């Protein structure tokens, strides 16, 4: 099956900093989504982005299907951005996640 | 349009009992996915169902676990003869088709005592 690598596995930021999270795939994928699992365990949809670029406030995402990666950008991070960020692909298969901690 | 509904939110079972977890997909969604999550770990895929069909159950343990998604009613994840190691959060997600955006329920926290 297709392998996915999410990087970095852990990230600690000071409030206000920017960050880039990445998913690399071993083969072409479709149906790419990004989710945020908040500290209470809730899984929140961020982007459905099989290809191209989307923006929503301080967050944006880019998927380059031909290059087999997707990026999630978080600008001006806030403490409420803390949690785990997952990418999902194909039949909703998940990467291991990036654990983000934003410190005040 | 209600979101994905899972119930119960919390379930406590004694070792050896059965656990039934329910997932009602969003209106118009006919695809359901189940995951297990241990504390501080990622989402482990269990099974992918379409109404009345199991599409992929490669992540499901061979024994004691089963899943169904009948023509009418919610999807059910059934765990027979639960053991302490089954204690986890179980999430389901639904989508309209296999290639559209999926949404998660709030999860069921199963505790086996």
């Amino acid at each position: 099956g297709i392998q996915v690598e999410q990087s970095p596995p852990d990230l600690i930021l000071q409030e206000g900093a920017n960050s880039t999270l990445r998913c690399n795939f071993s083969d072409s994928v479709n149906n790419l989504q990004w989710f945020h699992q908040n500290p209470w365990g809730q899984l929140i949809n961020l982007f459905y982005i099989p290809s191209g670029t989307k923006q929503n406030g301080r967050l944006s995402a880019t998927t380059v299907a031909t290059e087999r990666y997707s990026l999630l950008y978080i600008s001006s991070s806030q403490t409420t951005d803390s949690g785990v960020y997952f990418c999902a692909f194909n039949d909703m298969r998940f990467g291991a996640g990036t654990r983000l901690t934003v410190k005040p | 349009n209600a979101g994905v509904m899972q119930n119960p939110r919390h379930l406590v079972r004694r070792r050896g009992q059965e656990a039934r977890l329910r997932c009602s997909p969003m209106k118009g969604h006919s695809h359901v996915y189940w995951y297990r999550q241990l504390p501080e770990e990622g989402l482990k895929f269990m099974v992918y169902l379409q109404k009345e069909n199991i599409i992929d159950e490669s992540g499901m343990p061979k024994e004691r676990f089963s899943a169904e998604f009948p023509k009418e009613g919610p999807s059910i994840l059934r765990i027979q003869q639960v053991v302490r190691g089954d204690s986890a959060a179980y999430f389901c997600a639904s989508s309209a088709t296999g290639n559209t955006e999926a949404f998660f329920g709030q999860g069921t926290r199963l505790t086996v005592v």
Side-chain angles (χ1 to χ4, degrees):
Chain A
I2 296 175
Q3 304 301 310
V4 55
E5 180 183 7
Q6 280 198 245
S7 60
D10 293 279
L11 185 59
I12 300 174
L13 297 175
Q14 209 65 37
E15 201 168 27
N18 303 327
S19 61
T20 301
L21 282 57
R22 186 179 183 106
C23 280
N24 284 332
F25 303 96
S26 60
D27 203 345
S28 298
V29 300
N30 53 46
N31 228 25
L32 204 293
Q33 285 192 240
W34 283 94
F35 294 92
H36 174 216
Q37 188 169 36
N38 65 22
W40 297 271
Q42 187 181 6
L43 284 149
I44 300 161
N45 287 45
L46 296 177
F47 295 100
Y48 177 71
I49 186 161
S51 63
T53 297
K54 289 185 178 179
Q55 179 152 10
N56 184 4
R58 297 181 296 104
L59 273 61
S60 64
T62 295
T63 296
V64 185
T66 52
E67 297 294 321
R68 299 176 292 176
Y69 71 86
S70 185
L71 303 174
L72 178 69
Y73 305 96
I74 304 174
S75 64
S76 304
S77 56
Q78 301 176 358
T79 56
T80 52
D81 295 331
S82 295
V84 183
Y85 290 80
F86 294 103
C87 62
F89 62 99
N90 293 1
D91 296 339
M92 282 287 282
R93 306 308 161 101
F94 278 74
T98 291
R99 183 173 298 277
L100 174 65
T101 303
V102 180
K103 296 191 171 183
Chain B
N1 187 11
V4 180
M5 304 299 292
Q6 288 190 248
N7 65 80
R9 293 291 307 278
H10 300 275
L11 181 62
V12 179
R13 284 287 178 265
R14 295 188 182 278
R15 280 177 293 171
Q17 290 185 320
E18 179 180 285
R20 282 188 178 231
L21 287 61
R22 294 174 183 77
C23 172
S24 296
M26 287 178 70
K27 187 177 181 180
H29 285 192
S30 60
H31 293 243
V32 166
Y33 315 82
W34 284 94
Y35 301 84
R36 177 163 63 181
Q37 188 176 39
L38 296 170
E40 303 300 313
E41 294 191 7
L43 291 158
K44 182 180 185 300
F45 168 80
M46 299 182 75
V47 62
Y48 167 26
L49 309 106
Q50 194 179 356
K51 275 196 183 285
E52 299 186 278
N53 285 305
I54 295 175
I55 306 299
D56 184 350
E57 56 181 349
S58 59
M60 194 96 96
K62 293 285 184 272
E63 297 180 353
R64 302 189 298 109
F65 286 72
S66 62
E68 63 176 5
F69 188 14
K71 186 176 180 181
E72 301 292 337
S75 176
I76 306 286
L77 179 68
R78 182 183 178 202
I79 311 172
Q80 294 178 289
Q81 300 173 344
V82 295
V83 301
R84 289 244 170 94
D86 296 331
S87 294
Y90 292 83
F91 290 94
C92 78
S94 75
S95 63
T97 71
N99 286 302
T100 52
E101 189 173 9
F103 297 86
F104 275 92
Q106 299 275 60
T108 293
R109 270 74 178 169
L110 172 65
T111 302
V112 179
V113 297

